[in-house]
Amino acid sequence: MEANTLKELYVDHLRDIYSAENQITKALPKMAKKAGSEELKQAFEEHLRQTENQISRLEQIFGSLEKNPRGKKCIGMEGLIDEGKEIMSEKMKAEVMDAALIAAAQKVEHYEIAAYGTVRAYAELLGEQQAVDLLEQTLEEESAADEKLTGIAASTINVKALNGERLEEAA
Ligand code: FE
Ligand code: ZN
Ligand code: FE
């Protein structure tokens, strides 16, 4: 990458997120399939639909910038997804696997929240108001997805995983 202005850095970061989102659309169906809890499965499926919409928002931004969204691979997201694949290949009790899937998904959400926060700040400085609005909508969805996962973990999954451990210890 060569970037001499904030605008160039902005486009570069948008391409990185575009790649990240596309990788996520491939990972989420696998995570939904692997999830044992129906609530978690539905949360992944719902976030897949949101992610597809987030990709459309990015395409809208690239359209107004008259730039190609492709050309960059998000290595950070590739790493997070590789970790997710590793988790899914391991042998775990269903409840523990669900807790591990939530942990992996929340790392993805936090990465996205950081990345979208950065590009939203750049868009504000660059006076790209339409992009600011679109990025803000996505940022809110990512935060809500993250909070939803925290809720599922705290209310059921982590508790079930905890109880599973205890039962095994007692046996
Ligand atoms: Fe996203
Ligand atoms: Zn990246
Ligand atoms: Fe997300």
Side-chain angles (χ1 to χ4, degrees), residues 106-125:
Q106 287 196 282
K107 286 182 188 174
V108 168
E109 293 316 312
H110 282 234
Y111 185 101
E112 291 187 286
I113 289 165
Y116 276 106
T118 298
V119 286
R120 183 191 53 185
Y122 291 171
E124 266 166 14
L125 280 167

Side-chain angles (χ1 to χ4, degrees), residues 21 24 47 51 54 109 112 116 138 142:
E21 295 286 21
I24 292 165
H47 200 54
T51 302
Q54 292 167 357
E109 293 316 312
E112 291 187 286
Y116 276 106
T138 296
E142 306 293 21

Side-chain angles (χ1 to χ4, degrees), residues 13 16-17 19-20 23 72-78 111 115:
H13 279 244
D16 192 77
I17 298 179
S19 161
Q23 293 181 55
K72 183 153 179 147
K73 177 156 201 179
C74 180
I75 304 297
M77 188 55 67
E78 188 179 37
Y111 185 101

Side-chain angles (χ1 to χ4, degrees), residues 68-152:
N68 188 336
R70 292 179 198 283
K72 183 153 179 147
K73 177 156 201 179
C74 180
I75 304 297
M77 188 55 67
E78 188 179 37
L80 290 176
I81 289 174
D82 279 349
E83 282 194 5
K85 283 182 191 157
E86 200 183 318
I87 288 161
M88 289 192 279
S89 74
E90 281 160 15
K91 220 176 144 318
M92 290 186 209
K93 249 179 111 165
E95 298 80 9
V96 180
M97 176 60 76
D98 279 1
L101 289 174
I102 290 176
Q106 287 196 282
K107 286 182 188 174
V108 168
E109 293 316 312
H110 282 234
Y111 185 101
E112 291 187 286
I113 289 165
Y116 276 106
T118 298
V119 286
R120 183 191 53 185
Y122 291 171
E124 266 166 14
L125 280 167
L126 293 164
E128 305 271 352
Q129 194 49 52
Q130 196 207 4
V132 172
D133 294 342
L134 290 166
L135 295 168
E136 181 63 34
Q137 286 172 46
T138 296
L139 205 40
E140 277 169 20
E141 284 172 2
E142 306 293 21
S143 295
D146 181 51
E147 280 161 29
K148 185 166 189 173
L149 290 170
T150 297
I152 296 173

